[in-house]
DNA sequence: ACTGACCCTATACA
DNA sequence: ATGTATAGGGTCA
């Protein structure tokens, strides 16, 4: 099948596909190492089903997008990716005119084509529930496991099957905690089931059918503190995961998710430390927000508010760049997951091999679980 | 406020 | 070559 490719003009300095698609923001892009193309499934506007979409970057001036879905309009596809990559935000301009004047430490820092994605909120939410105590490789496997087990099959290309990301209804109807544990989700199995159930309930009460619509509605009708309060009402979502969802799944560009690495940067490079007075102030601010009060770590929250004030309306993007600089190279270093490797094995890999790999994955995780149960 | 448990896996190290 | 320890983008009780 010959593909029609469409160009989107954005320089490699503004967007590096490798650094943005494979460094811990998105977990469902598959790199075909033979062609250098990135593939996944996405919901494209004006099209009822998920489409298989492709991206490639063979040039410093533009990227190209395409799709295997004949029903998917190419103009819609270009629009979709401009929104997904937030092409209206100019990182280099932001660096020079906003971050550098606010923070001299940005002098000489390369932005390395890092951008913050505007992803679909439900997929982002579930992905980041999976991210706790975890590495990119396993998060990626878990996201794919959700799709292959509970999503709809969209098509097969290069002997790889493509599935949609399952809705909260699909997860609630077809998955149990035990199922997800067998698939290797560990303690996150419970969080995902409970969160899917809660979202189904919330959608029903608001007469909304789509996860995307419901979460966008919540995102648009609340200020940041209340939005975070809502997100933290779901099982498995604490302050850090909530902030990742806000930033990468809800376009809240000012939000700075504080994990151990950002904490280290804040202490080492900015000497940020909350005084008792700072903590009293935050506690006062969160008086009307019971879940936030319960879940938040005030020392970390002070780092979040400090960096937000320092870096301004696009503080989340500034964080993204410093984060990648700190760990970007190593965070994905051990990410040679089965899915990526499989793509490299040419066409002598059959569906049967893939099934065997998957089932051996499952039995491995089962074995470890049984082993740890025996130890208890 | 502080601490430990929590699933699993890749890697380092003995 | 096999076994053990540890950390990996936190949350919950």
């Amino acid at each position: 099948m010959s593909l029609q490719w469409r160009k989107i003009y954005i320089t490699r300095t503004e967007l590096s596909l490798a650094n943005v698609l494979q460094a811990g923001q998105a977990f469902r892009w598959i790199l075909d190492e033979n062609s250098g193309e990135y593939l996944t499934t996405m919901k494209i506007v004006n099209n009822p089903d998920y489409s298989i979409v492709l991206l490639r970057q063979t040039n410093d001036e533009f990227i190209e997008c395409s799709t295997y879905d004949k029903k998917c309009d190419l103009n819609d596809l270009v629009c979709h990716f401009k929104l997904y990559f937030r092409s209206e935000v100019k990182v280099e301009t932001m660096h020079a005119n906003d971050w550098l004047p606010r923070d001299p430490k940005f002098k000489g820092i390369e932005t390395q084509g890092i951008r913050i994605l505007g992803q679909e909120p439900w997929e982002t939410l579930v992905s980041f529930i999976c991210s706790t105590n975890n590495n990119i490789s396993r998060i990626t496997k878990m996201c794919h496991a959700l799709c292959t087990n509970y999503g709809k099959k969209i098509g097969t290309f290069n002997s790889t099957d493509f599935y949609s990301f399952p809705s909260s209804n699909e997860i609630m109807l077809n998955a149990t905690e035990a199922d997800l544990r067998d698939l290797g989700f560990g303690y996150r199995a419970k969080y995902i089931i409970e969160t899917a159930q809660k979202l189904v309930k919330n959608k029903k009460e608001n007469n909304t059918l789509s996860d995307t619509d419901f979460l966008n509605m919540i995102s648009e009708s609340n200020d940041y503190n209340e939005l975070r309060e809502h997100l933290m009402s779901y099982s498995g979502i604490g302050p850090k995961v909530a902030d990742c969802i806000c930033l990468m799944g809800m376009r809240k560009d000012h939000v700075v998710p504080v994990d151990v690495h950002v904490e280290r940067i804040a202490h080492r490079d900015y000497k940020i430390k909350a005084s008792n007075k700072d903590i009293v102030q935050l506690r006062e601010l969160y008086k009307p927000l019971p879940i936030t009060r319960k879940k938040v770590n005030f020392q970390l929250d002070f780092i979040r508010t400090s960096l937000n004030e320092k870096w301004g309306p696009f503080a989340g993007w500034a964080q993204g760049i410093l984060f990648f600089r700190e760990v970007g190279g190593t965070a994905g270093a051990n990410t040679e997951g089965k899915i990526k490797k499989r793509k490299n094995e040419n066409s002598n890999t059959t569906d049967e091999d893939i099934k065997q790999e998957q089932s051996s994955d499952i039995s491995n995780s089962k074995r470890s679980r049984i082993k740890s149960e025996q130890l208890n």
Side-chain angles (χ1 to χ4, degrees):
Chain A
M1 173 189 290
S2 78
L3 285 168
Q4 263 204 301
W5 292 87
R6 289 282 298 266
K7 287 178 186 160
I8 298 173
Y9 282 89
I10 183 165
T11 63
R12 201 185 288 273
T13 325
E14 283 289 324
L15 166 62
S16 154
L17 249 31
N19 291 354
V20 169
L21 263 24
Q22 301 204 292
Q25 290 194 64
F27 301 97
R28 222 158 56 74
W29 284 97
I30 296 170
L31 171 62
D32 184 331
E33 289 176 347
N34 299 317
S35 65
E37 294 163 5
Y38 293 88
L39 292 89
T40 192
T41 63
M42 286 179 146
K43 178 83 178 56
I44 310 298
V45 72
N46 293 331
N47 203 351
D49 303 316
Y50 270 71
S51 307
I52 301 175
V53 297
L54 303 89
L55 289 170
R56 68 183 183 193
Q57 186 167 36
T58 56
N59 181 291
D60 288 345
E61 301 306 318
F62 55 80
I63 61 164
E64 291 170 287
C65 61
S66 185
T67 177
Y68 285 124
D69 189 345
K70 284 176 192 146
K71 288 179 305 209
C72 179
D73 182 79
L74 286 179
N75 290 322
D76 288 344
L77 189 70
V78 168
C79 269
H80 167 83
F81 278 119
K82 283 183 177 173
L83 293 169
Y84 182 73
F85 287 115
R86 309 291 312 279
S87 64
E88 80 281 11
V89 180
K90 310 295 178 197
V91 175
E92 289 301 296
T93 308
M94 197 67 64
H95 182 216
N97 298 349
D98 198 12
W99 301 329
L100 192 51
R102 289 168 173 276
D103 179 0
K105 286 190 188 299
F106 267 88
K107 192 171 163 66
I109 283 184
E110 302 278 348
T111 58
Q112 299 184 267
I114 298 291
R115 315 178 63 72
I116 300 297
L117 294 171
Q119 301 187 82
E120 193 285 314
W122 167 243
E123 180 175 337
T124 311
L125 187 154
V126 176
S127 303
F128 280 96
I129 286 179
C130 295
S131 76
T132 65
N133 247 325
N134 212 345
N135 54 54
I136 293 172
S137 168
R138 183 149 80 112
I139 302 165
T140 300
K141 279 183 201 162
M142 287 156 78
C143 290
H144 280 107
L146 279 179
C147 296
T148 55
N149 286 282
Y150 308 108
K152 297 190 209 41
K153 188 165 173 179
I154 306 299
T156 305
F157 286 92
N158 294 339
S159 73
T160 302
D161 295 333
F162 288 86
Y163 296 82
S164 64
F165 192 87
S167 67
S168 56
N169 296 66
E170 287 173 317
I171 292 175
M172 194 191 78
L173 250 48
N174 304 319
T176 65
E177 183 185 335
D179 295 337
L180 292 183
R181 278 187 174 269
D182 286 347
L183 287 170
F185 283 77
Y187 60 84
R188 305 163 195 85
K190 188 180 167 196
Y191 300 159
I192 290 171
I193 299 295
E194 288 179 353
T195 293
Q197 286 170 344
K198 191 177 164 74
L199 197 67
V200 169
K201 183 164 167 277
N202 284 348
K203 284 193 297 184
K204 207 172 278 172
E205 286 170 2
N206 286 272
N207 296 316
T208 315
L209 291 176
S210 138
D211 298 311
T212 313
D213 290 347
F214 176 77
L215 289 171
N216 281 338
M217 187 268 287
I218 294 294
S219 164
E220 282 155 25
S221 58
N222 289 285
D223 67 22
Y224 163 67
N225 281 328
E226 279 167 7
L227 170 58
R228 196 169 60 145
E229 175 80 1
H230 178 86
L231 290 174
M232 281 194 268
S233 73
Y234 297 96
S235 174
I237 303 186
K240 189 269 179 183
V241 169
D243 283 340
C244 286
I245 300 163
C246 286
L247 178 63
M248 294 168 241
M250 293 175 161
R251 300 162 174 255
K252 305 296 178 191
D253 300 310
H254 64 283
V255 174
V256 179
V258 179
D259 61 13
V260 287
H261 302 290
V262 174
E263 182 185 12
R264 183 170 62 249
I265 292 171
H267 288 153
R268 185 192 61 209
D269 299 340
Y270 296 96
K271 314 293 179 208
I272 294 172
K273 187 166 180 357
S275 68
N276 287 336
K277 194 184 155 208
D278 296 324
I279 290 176
V280 168
Q281 264 183 10
L282 285 171
R283 203 183 295 281
E284 183 64 24
L285 180 65
Y286 296 147
K287 231 172 190 169
L289 304 170
I291 303 171
T292 305
R293 230 171 34 232
K294 180 172 167 231
K295 291 197 177 185
V296 89
N297 171 321
F298 284 94
Q299 284 294 339
L300 295 182
D301 202 62
F302 182 71
I303 293 175
R304 180 185 68 75
T305 55
S306 303
L307 291 177
N308 171 234
E309 276 176 37
K310 179 181 283 294
W311 294 331
F314 283 80
W317 292 57
Q319 172 273 349
I321 285 153
L322 294 192
F323 180 90
F324 185 81
R325 209 163 157 269
E326 184 82 8
V327 287
T330 58
N334 52 354
T335 59
E336 289 308 308
K338 290 248 157 64
I339 288 152
K340 269 169 66 183
K341 271 187 184 160
R342 188 186 307 151
K343 293 299 295 175
N344 211 15
E345 284 167 9
N346 250 324
S347 53
N348 54 5
T349 308
T350 65
D351 287 344
E352 219 32 55
D353 293 335
I354 292 167
K355 273 184 193 133
Q356 277 178 10
E357 275 190 11
Q358 282 175 344
S359 64
S360 89
D361 273 3
I362 292 164
S363 49
N364 274 335
S365 59
K366 260 186 187 164
R367 221 174 294 132
S368 318
R369 185 162 56 90
I370 289 159
K371 197 172 144 199
S372 61
E373 277 168 2
Q374 283 170 343
L375 290 174
N376 289 338

